[in-house]
Amino acid sequence: MGEGFIGEIAARREDVFVESPASDPRIAELGSLMIPIRSLLAAPLVNDGKVSGVMCAVNSKNGSMPFTHEQFTRFKFIASQVVLAQNIMRVYATLSEQQRIGQELTFARNLQQSLIPQGSPVWGKFEIHAFTRASKEVSGDFFDFVEIDKNRLLVVIGDACGKGIPACMIMAMTRAFIRAGIARFTTLKNMLKELNENLYRDTSAERYITLGCCLIDKEESTIEYARAGHTPLLMYLREHIREINPDGAGLGLLPGELADFDTLCTGIGPGTTMLMFTDGLNEATNKKEEEYGISRLTDIYSRSCQAGKTPNEVIQDIMDNIDQFSVSEGK
């Protein structure tokens, strides 16, 4: 630890991007390799405060071209997944079956909770409130707030296919892809197309995620909405509910040339509210396996808005109504 170029990276726990030998003379220390080093990426693998190794990539596949900063971002994300894999391997090696399952669920639950924002941003005249409650130990549902610039905020809600740890991992990948690419954000459509290409490439055929994206511009008082196979956006406007359903398939289902996404942009005035949700609401069932449905959700949402309730009170009304339905006998 601390000896040589790689040992120094481990000791300092620093991510390193070397574009050329001229930019970092320490590369000369690795001259014993069989191939000349033209560009290098390195990331220490830190697990529970301890360094378990250093992951390196040498020379881009583009011949004499150095690695790019985008590749460096992806490389660091891959390094975090290696640490995750090490954790899981350690669990399998040291615990009995039931203990291992409990440990994995605890780890995944802690991971999921760490990725969900603990508060809601203040964004000009817009009030933003969020609520989540998992039906199992872990799920594929998530939401996020990503600031693009001083005026624009991206609000994202997603629902990965399936339940448990696999869905949680897809959720974590999607969130990481969004945040890694937000610095070069252009449009919602382009962002969703890039997300789809990444997930289609990196996940199996049965794994996908639905997504709803709302871009809030506080200077222009507008919102732009796009979705990828997700539930509709409900908007309460002038005592009426509008369902906003732009076209778009779930992310990871179709190759890039077949995937396309529509968007809708509208101005927002005082008294307008919007509801983004996952199908955990409308697909909640009662004792007769009847689904709660969009119509019941729309009704309670409309009545709460008409009563002039605060966003938190609207959310509470919806959850209370769903809980009452879930324990009912139905028709």
Side-chain angles (χ1 to χ4, degrees):
M1 181 77 77
E3 295 184 3
F5 186 20
I6 304 302
E8 185 179 338
I9 292 172
R12 293 186 176 182
R13 302 185 181 187
E14 62 174 359
D15 301 317
V16 173
F17 176 17
V18 181
E19 296 187 76
S20 68
S23 66
D24 194 326
R26 293 179 298 176
I27 255 188
E29 299 176 19
L30 305 176
S32 59
L33 294 176
M34 298 297 293
I35 58 174
I37 299 177
R38 294 183 294 273
S39 183
L40 179 142
L41 306 177
L45 305 177
V46 182
N47 194 346
D48 291 334
K50 298 180 180 179
V51 178
S52 59
V54 177
M55 192 172 80
C56 299
V58 174
N59 296 342
S60 169
K61 68 179 181 179
N62 296 323
S64 60
M65 296 294 293
F67 289 108
T68 66
H69 287 280
E70 181 179 355
Q71 288 173 318
F72 187 37
T73 297
R74 292 182 179 178
F75 180 81
K76 290 187 289 184
F77 171 70
I78 294 171
S80 70
Q81 301 305 295
V82 172
V83 173
L84 174 61
Q86 289 177 331
N87 273 330
I88 294 176
M89 291 173 64
R90 187 171 69 250
V91 168
Y92 270 81
T94 60
L95 299 176
S96 66
E97 184 73 15
Q98 290 301 318
Q99 289 176 314
R100 185 181 74 236
I101 292 173
Q103 184 79 4
E104 288 177 349
L105 290 175
T106 298
F107 175 78
R109 182 169 57 249
N110 291 341
L111 171 64
Q112 185 173 35
Q113 289 300 315
S114 71
L115 297 179
I116 293 177
Q118 299 305 304
S120 300
V122 177
W123 204 250
K125 298 178 182 179
F126 292 88
E127 284 189 62
I128 303 170
H129 295 262
F131 176 82
T132 181
R133 186 178 71 189
S135 61
K136 296 183 180 296
E137 290 86 350
V138 291
S139 72
D141 290 6
F142 83 103
F143 63 88
D144 201 7
F145 310 116
V146 188
E147 184 174 339
I148 298 174
D149 53 41
K150 65 178 183 179
N151 291 318
R152 295 181 299 168
L153 178 74
L154 180 65
V155 180
V156 180
I157 186 169
D159 182 5
C161 173
K163 300 292 182 182
I165 294 176
C168 181
M169 294 298 100
I170 298 294
M171 175 271 284
M173 288 176 60
T174 303
R175 180 186 182 276
F177 282 139
I178 292 173
R179 287 182 167 262
I182 205 65
R184 45 189 169 75
F185 177 89
T186 54
T187 66
L188 282 181
K189 177 178 287 193
N190 289 342
M191 184 194 79
L192 289 173
K193 288 179 74 69
E194 181 177 326
L195 275 174
N196 181 74
E197 290 174 0
N198 288 335
L199 290 170
Y200 185 80
R201 179 192 64 233
D202 294 344
T203 59
S204 56
E206 68 276 8
R207 297 293 176 192
Y208 66 92
I209 187 169
T210 69
L211 211 66
C213 303
C214 189
L215 181 63
I216 302 175
D217 189 318
K218 65 182 179 182
E219 183 178 36
E220 300 293 334
S221 290
T222 61
I223 65 105
E224 184 179 8
Y225 183 72
R227 67 182 190 124
H230 201 68
T231 53
L233 172 72
L234 299 183
M235 178 181 291
Y236 177 78
L237 177 64
R238 300 187 186 94
E239 299 186 356
H240 292 86
I241 298 292
R242 293 179 58 193
E243 286 191 24
I244 300 177
N245 288 289
D247 289 337
L251 300 176
L253 286 173
L254 300 174
E257 63 271 15
L258 297 180
D260 197 16
F261 305 92
D262 288 340
T263 65
L264 183 144
C265 186
T266 184
I268 298 295
T272 303
T273 70
M274 295 168 292
L275 177 65
M276 300 171 68
F277 60 96
T278 67
D279 60 14
L281 297 189
N282 56 285
E283 292 183 359
T285 58
N286 61 15
K287 293 183 177 180
K288 289 190 175 181
E289 297 300 316
E290 298 169 336
E291 288 193 351
Y292 185 72
I294 293 290
S295 62
R296 287 188 178 90
L297 177 61
T298 301
D299 182 60
I300 185 63
Y301 174 50
S302 178
R303 284 190 278 119
S304 296
C305 291
Q306 288 175 5
K309 296 191 175 183
T310 66
N312 278 335
E313 290 172 337
V314 172
I315 292 171
Q316 191 61 54
D317 281 355
I318 291 172
M319 297 309 301
D320 288 345
N321 193 257
I322 291 173
D323 288 342
Q324 292 171 10
F325 172 83
S326 298
V327 299
S328 69
E329 298 290 342
K331 295 180 180 179

